[in-house]
Amino acid sequence: LVDVHPHFTQKIHEFKPASGCHNGTRLEEAVPDSISLKETLAIICEFIEVSIHLILYIRDIYPASLFTRKKKFNVPVMQATHPDLNRYIAEVVANIHQWMREQVTDKVALVILTPDRKTAVERFVFELVPSAYPLGQMALSVPQIEQALRSFFLKISVCDAMLLPNPPGCTFALMAIGCEPDPHTTKRLRFTSRANSSEPRTEGVPWTPACSAWTGPLGAGSDPGLPGSASILPLKTMDTGLLTLHLYAEEADKSAFGQPNRTQ
């Protein structure tokens, strides 16, 4: 397996909670005190964890024999059976859940990479923004949120028909994109999880700054001067009344990797 090892290293310490997200509007200021975001974020992170497994299956990152059929929110999904992979994904999402509650990050990306890990060919992005409704006046119940997330799973399951095949042997990385740390700058922090077999395991999953090849234009590789070329495929949006969740895919021009383009 690629990107999976029981030994993780180097916890990040300098990634501090931001003073504000989305132009200074903090999430707890967007809803009254009587409405908690805790349960909403927990459900969304459950959804993200299951979605990672499903995307890895749909996009053929691992053999289909590595997955088994499960149900989540009463919808059939695919889950990996390798314990190290499952543990890795669970620990990454647990970190992301904590950071979302602390308003450190508001965007998560599953990045699909070429076998040499130098070029990103696809990104599946989960983005949270404050609800369009003021003060949670249209907040959904837990069953309503779960029902809405079922349609996300169904959309992921059919997105394979809307994306071109990836080059053989692709791998993946998980990336957390931080809220703006300074109201005077638009720079956003990007961190990716890393596994390193040469170091003993530490508590949790280590996070290090993501390389430009993974965060920059798709298909540009490690050369920031290359423009790259990507198309965006919106998949689904849900407004819970407290938070709005956007899911979309970014796809590189895969003709450079020997894959046919859409006109062939």
Side-chain angles (χ1 to χ4, degrees), residues 1-5 8 45-57 61-62 66-67 78-97 108 110 126 172-174 193 201 205 207:
L1 293 175
V2 184
D3 277 347
V4 180
H5 200 281
F8 299 103
C45 285
E46 283 183 47
F47 159 74
I48 290 174
E49 181 175 353
V50 176
S51 296
I52 291 169
H53 286 265
L54 186 57
I55 292 168
L56 295 179
Y57 171 79
I61 304 303
Y62 294 110
L66 185 69
F67 296 84
M78 301 302 290
Q79 180 181 356
T81 57
H82 195 288
D84 287 341
L85 177 59
N86 292 356
R87 186 182 308 113
Y88 170 67
I89 294 173
E91 290 180 347
V92 166
V93 174
N95 285 173
I96 289 169
H97 184 195
V108 180
L110 190 162
F126 304 83
F172 80 102
L174 297 172
S193 60
R201 181 172 178 173
V205 177
W207 293 80

Side-chain angles (χ1 to χ4, degrees), residues 151-177:
S151 62
F152 278 74
F153 287 141
L154 296 175
K155 196 70 174 182
I156 294 172
S157 297
V158 300
C159 75
D160 203 43
M162 297 177 278
L163 297 169
L164 293 172
N166 286 314
C170 281
T171 181
F172 80 102
L174 297 172
M175 184 169 64
I177 303 173

Side-chain angles (χ1 to χ4, degrees), residues 3 6 16 19 29 49 87 107-108 115 125 134 145 155 165 188 191 193 199 227 262:
D3 277 347
K16 302 297 183 182
S19 59
E29 295 174 355
E49 181 175 353
R87 186 182 308 113
K107 189 182 294 186
V108 180
V125 181
I145 293 174
K155 196 70 174 182
R188 297 170 68 89
F191 289 86
S193 60
E199 299 287 346
R262 299 186 190 280

Side-chain angles (χ1 to χ4, degrees), residues 53-253:
H53 286 265
L54 186 57
I55 292 168
L56 295 179
Y57 171 79
I58 292 295
R59 300 308 289 148
D60 295 324
I61 304 303
Y62 294 110
S65 59
L66 185 69
F67 296 84
T68 186
R69 188 176 296 274
K70 299 283 187 178
K71 273 194 173 183
K72 186 65 176 178
F73 306 143
N74 207 32
V75 172
V77 295
M78 301 302 290
Q79 180 181 356
T81 57
H82 195 288
D84 287 341
L85 177 59
N86 292 356
R87 186 182 308 113
Y88 170 67
I89 294 173
E91 290 180 347
V92 166
V93 174
N95 285 173
I96 289 169
H97 184 195
Q98 177 183 346
W99 289 350
M100 285 181 172
R101 291 180 62 182
E102 296 172 353
Q103 300 177 38
V104 173
T105 185
D106 56 3
K107 189 182 294 186
V108 180
L110 190 162
V111 188
I112 297 179
L113 306 163
T114 52
D116 60 7
R117 302 179 64 83
K118 293 182 178 179
T119 306
V121 294
E122 286 179 0
R123 276 193 294 257
F124 287 82
V125 181
F126 304 83
E127 182 177 13
L128 286 175
V129 299
S131 171
Y133 298 104
L135 302 178
Q137 291 178 1
M138 300 294 292
L140 300 180
S141 65
V142 171
Q144 288 173 321
I145 293 174
E146 292 180 351
Q147 181 177 1
L149 290 175
R150 292 173 198 156
S151 62
F152 278 74
F153 287 141
L154 296 175
K155 196 70 174 182
I156 294 172
S157 297
V158 300
C159 75
D160 203 43
M162 297 177 278
L163 297 169
L164 293 172
N166 286 314
C170 281
T171 181
F172 80 102
L174 297 172
M175 184 169 64
I177 303 173
C179 300
E180 295 180 7
D182 186 331
H184 302 294
T185 178
T186 58
K187 182 179 180 181
R188 297 170 68 89
L189 302 177
R190 291 168 169 82
F191 289 86
T192 183
S193 60
R194 289 288 181 88
N196 189 327
S197 60
S198 63
E199 299 287 346
R201 181 172 178 173
T202 59
E203 182 183 354
V205 177
W207 293 80
T208 57
C211 63
S212 60
W214 302 356
T215 64
L218 292 182
S222 58
D223 186 349
L226 293 178
S229 178
S231 57
I232 297 178
L233 175 64
L235 293 174
K236 203 71 180 174
T237 293
M238 171 187 69
D239 193 331
T240 70
L242 301 177
L243 293 169
T244 298
L245 172 66
H246 299 291
L247 172 60
Y248 58 92
E250 299 173 295
E251 182 181 31
D253 179 0

